[in-house]
C-alpha cells in the first residue's frame, strides 16, 4: 500500500557519516509531502516523465530547499528526530547547539525514478496536532540531488521494512499541561487544548565555496527559535493575559498516546512566554480561542551557598538547604567555587529534586563548606518516548 499521496509511494532516510556523501536508506518514512523549490521542481517533473533531468548553469551553487510532512508515528529510533535534535541521551532528545558534520540522505521513490537528496539538514521541525492526528513537518536544506537513484533504487526502498509504528498518535489521547516554570507540571496544570502547533527552527547559514569550489556545509547559527500556538474552547479566566502582562516564565507539556497501542510521546517546553492571548469569553457554546507563545532558553542561579556537597557514589550534588531550582533532565548546569576542580565546570542533569542533582559527570566526593554557585539552563525542548 502506498505510504503517501500521488507518486509519493515510498520514502526512506539514512544517516550520512560524511556530509553530502549519499548512503543507503535504513528507515522508511510515512511521507505525505515533499515540495522542492520551483527550479528543482522542474527537474523533478521531467524525471517523472522518464526524461533525463537537465540542470541549468550554476544551479548547484544554491542550496536545495524543500518542505516535508509525515505522520508522527515514530519511536525514538526515528532518524528525523535524531538528526534535528542532534543527540539522544538518557532516553530523550534535547537540542544540541550544532549540526555541523551531521546530515541525512533522503530518498523518494517516484515510480519511474528515485529522487535522492544528500547532505540533508532539517532546519525546521513542526509538531502539529488536531482532531485528525499528530503530524511532523518542516523544511530542509540539501546539497546534492540525484534523480536516478544511484545509491538507493526502487527495489532497495521497497525491501525496507516499515520499521515505524503504523498507528498514529491521536488528539483524543492528548494531555496538555501549562504552568509556571518554577515547579514540575502536575494534574492541576492540565488545560483543554483542541489543536496546536509547535514550531522549532534552527536558522542556518548559506553554503559557501572555497577557491576549488568545494562545498562548505550549511550550519546552524545557534540562535534557536521556537513558537507555539494552542487553540482552546472559550475560557472565562484572565490567567493567560495575566501571565502575558507579567512576562511569566511558563512550562508546557504535551503528552500523546498511540492509537490502539501503549506507545506514548512526551514533549517538554521548559521556558515559554505568552505573546498573545484574547480576552476571556463567558457564556455557553464552543468558541475557539488561540493563545500564542515564544520559546526561550531560561537560566537560573543558585548560590553562592556553603550548604553544597558532592558525592561520587551516585555522582550527585546535594544541598542541605533544599534550594535547587527547577530543571528537567538534559539541563546543563555550570558549577563554580567547589574545592575540588573536577566538580566545577559544565555538567548534564540526569535527575533533580530540591536537594539533589544527579549528573552524567564523574564527580569527586566533597563535603559542604565551600562557597558554591550553580547556574542552570533548561533545554530548549525535550522529547521523550515511553
Amino acid at each position: 500500500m502506498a505510504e503517501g499521496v500521488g507518486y509519493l509511494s515510498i520514502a526512506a532516510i539514512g544517516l550520512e557519516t560524511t556530509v553530502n556523501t549519499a548512503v543507503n536508506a535504513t528507515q522508511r518514512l510515512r511521507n505525505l509531502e515533499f515540495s522542492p523549490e520551483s527550479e528543482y521542481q522542474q527537474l523533478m517533473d521531467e524525471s517523472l516523465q522518464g526524461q533525463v533531468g537537465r540542470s541549468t548553469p550554476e544551479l548547484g551553487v544554491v542550496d536545495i530547499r524543500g518542505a516535508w510532512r509525515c505522520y508522527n508515528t515514530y519511536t525514538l529510533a526515528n532518524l528525523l528526530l535524531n538528526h534535528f535534535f542532534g543527540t539522544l541521551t538518557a532516553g530523550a532528545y534535547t537540542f544540541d547547539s550544532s549540526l555541523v558534520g551531521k546530515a541525512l540522505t533522503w530518498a523518494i521513490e517516484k515510480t519511474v525514478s528515485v529522487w535522492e537528496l544528500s547532505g540533508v539538514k532539517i532546519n525546521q521541525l513542526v509538531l502539529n496536532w488536531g482532531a485528525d492526528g499528530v503530524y511532523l513537518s518542516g523544511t530542509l536544506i540539501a546539497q546534492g540531488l540525484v534523480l536516478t537513484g544511484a545509491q538507493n533504487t526502487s527495489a532497495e526502498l521497497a525491501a525496507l521494512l516499515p520499521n515505524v509504528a503504523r498507528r498514529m498518535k491521536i488528539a483524543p489521547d492528548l494531555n496538555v499541561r501549562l504552568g509556571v516554570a518554577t515547579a514540575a507540571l502536575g494534574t492541576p496544570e492540565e488545560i483543554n487544548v483542541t489543536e496546536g502547533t509547535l514550531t522549532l527552527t534552527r536558522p542556518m547559514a548559506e553554503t559557501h565555496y572555497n577557491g576549488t569550489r568545494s562545498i562548505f556545509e550549511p550550519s546552524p547559527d545557534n540562535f534557536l527559535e521556537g513558537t507555539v500556538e494552542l487553540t482552546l474552547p472559550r475560557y472565562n479566566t484572565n490567567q493567560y493575559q495575566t501571565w502575558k502582562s507579567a512576562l511569566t516564565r511558563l512550562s508546557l507539556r504535551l503528552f500523546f498516546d498511540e492509537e490502539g497501542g501503549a506507545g506514548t510521546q512526551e514533549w517538554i517546553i521548559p521556558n515559554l512566554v505568552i505573546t498573545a492571548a484574547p480576552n476571556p469569553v463567558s457564556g455557553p457554546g464552543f468558541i475557539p480561542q488561540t493563545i500564542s507563545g515564544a520559546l526561550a532558553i531560561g537560566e537560573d542561579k543558585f548560590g553562592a551557598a556553603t550548604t553544597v556537597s558532592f558525592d561520587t557514589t551516585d555522582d550527585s550534588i546535594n544541598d542541605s538547604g533544599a534550594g535547587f531550582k527547577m530543571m528537567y533532565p538534559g539541563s546543563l548546569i555550570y558549577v563554580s567555587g567547589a574545592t575540588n576542580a573536577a566538580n566545577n565546570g559544565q555538567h548534564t542533569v540526569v535527575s533533580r529534586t530540591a536537594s539533589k542533582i544527579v549528573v552524567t559527570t564523574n564527580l569527586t566526593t566533597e563535603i559542604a563548606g565551600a562557597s558554591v554557585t550553580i547556574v542552570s539552563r533548561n533545554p530548549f525542548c525535550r522529547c521523550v518516548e515511553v
Side-chain angles (χ1 to χ4, degrees):
M1 177 180 293
E3 292 196 1
V5 295
Y7 284 103
L8 210 54
S9 55
I10 299 177
I13 53 177
L15 289 177
E16 295 180 1
T17 55
T18 303
V19 176
N20 203 30
T21 299
V23 298
N24 285 321
T26 59
Q27 185 176 89
R28 288 264 290 273
L29 299 181
R30 298 290 300 279
N31 254 31
L32 292 174
E33 174 189 0
F34 177 74
S35 305
E37 287 188 330
S38 57
E39 63 267 35
Y40 295 98
Q41 183 64 59
Q42 178 183 355
L43 298 181
M44 294 176 175
D45 286 345
E46 291 173 349
S47 75
L48 291 180
Q49 301 168 19
Q51 302 178 27
V52 176
R54 295 171 294 177
S55 61
T56 56
E58 300 301 313
L59 189 60
V61 302
V62 295
D63 295 317
I64 305 165
R65 297 173 181 267
W68 58 274
R69 184 169 180 257
C70 63
Y71 289 119
N72 182 21
T73 58
Y74 301 94
T75 65
L76 281 182
N78 179 12
L79 299 185
L80 293 176
L81 295 182
N82 187 296
H83 170 75
F84 180 78
F85 282 106
T87 186
L88 173 61
T89 304
Y93 288 110
T94 54
F95 264 107
D96 273 353
S97 59
S98 176
L99 290 180
V100 174
K102 299 178 180 180
L104 298 169
T105 294
W106 194 307
I108 304 172
E109 191 266 312
K110 289 288 191 175
T111 304
V112 296
S113 66
V114 175
W115 301 351
E116 187 176 279
L117 295 156
S118 60
V120 172
K121 291 179 181 288
I122 301 173
N123 60 316
Q124 185 177 78
L125 182 74
V126 180
L127 178 72
N128 179 264
W129 66 94
D132 58 343
V134 185
Y135 299 88
L136 291 174
S137 61
T139 58
L140 59 81
I141 300 176
Q143 290 181 271
L145 170 63
V146 176
L147 303 178
T148 58
Q151 185 75 26
N152 295 278
T153 66
S154 297
E156 289 169 339
L157 297 183
L160 284 175
L161 293 175
N163 54 349
V164 294
R166 288 190 175 274
R167 291 186 293 265
M168 292 178 60
K169 294 176 176 64
I170 57 176
D173 294 321
L174 165 68
N175 178 278
V176 179
R177 297 176 182 178
L178 179 67
V180 295
T182 55
L185 298 174
T187 302
E189 285 73 46
E190 290 184 9
I191 60 175
N192 185 13
V193 175
T194 57
E195 62 183 48
T197 301
L198 170 65
T199 303
L200 304 173
T201 305
R202 290 179 177 271
M204 289 194 179
E206 297 287 342
T207 54
H208 300 280
Y209 293 77
N210 62 18
T212 61
R213 301 194 61 73
S214 296
I215 300 175
F216 295 127
E217 63 179 287
S219 59
D221 64 10
N222 294 340
F223 289 95
L224 304 174
E225 301 173 358
T227 60
V228 65
E229 289 188 347
L230 304 174
T231 300
L232 307 87
R234 73 165 75 198
Y235 50 85
N236 56 12
T237 174
N238 65 355
Q239 180 63 71
Y240 302 117
Q241 291 183 323
T242 300
W243 281 336
K244 175 181 177 294
S245 299
L247 297 177
T248 303
R249 280 177 53 194
L250 306 172
S251 291
L252 174 68
R253 174 185 181 266
L254 309 173
F255 188 84
F256 302 105
D257 276 339
E258 186 180 79
E259 179 187 12
T264 61
Q265 190 178 80
E266 179 185 61
W267 294 67
I268 294 289
I269 312 300
N271 300 287
L272 173 71
V273 176
I274 293 179
T275 56
N279 293 325
V281 178
S282 60
F286 176 74
I287 299 179
Q289 295 183 274
T290 300
I291 61 175
S292 302
L295 280 58
I297 298 179
E299 286 190 354
D300 288 298
K301 181 180 178 182
F302 167 83
T306 58
T307 55
V308 177
S309 61
F310 301 81
D311 190 344
T312 190
T313 303
D314 57 356
D315 292 324
S316 66
I317 306 170
N318 303 275
D319 175 36
S320 60
F324 289 145
K325 304 289 185 178
M326 178 62 194
M327 64 191 77
Y328 287 90
S331 301
L332 297 178
I333 59 173
Y334 305 85
V335 179
S336 60
T339 302
N340 193 298
N343 296 330
N344 291 320
Q346 177 178 303
H347 309 285
T348 301
V349 174
V350 175
S351 63
R352 168 267 175 201
T353 67
S355 58
K356 180 187 286 285
I357 302 172
V358 178
V359 298
T360 58
T361 316
N362 185 14
L363 301 177
T364 300
T365 296
E366 179 180 327
I367 63 172
S371 184
V372 174
T373 298
I374 300 176
V375 175
S376 62
R377 173 177 289 180
N378 268 308
F380 193 70
C381 177
R382 182 171 184 265
C383 176
V384 180
E385 297 251 356
V386 181

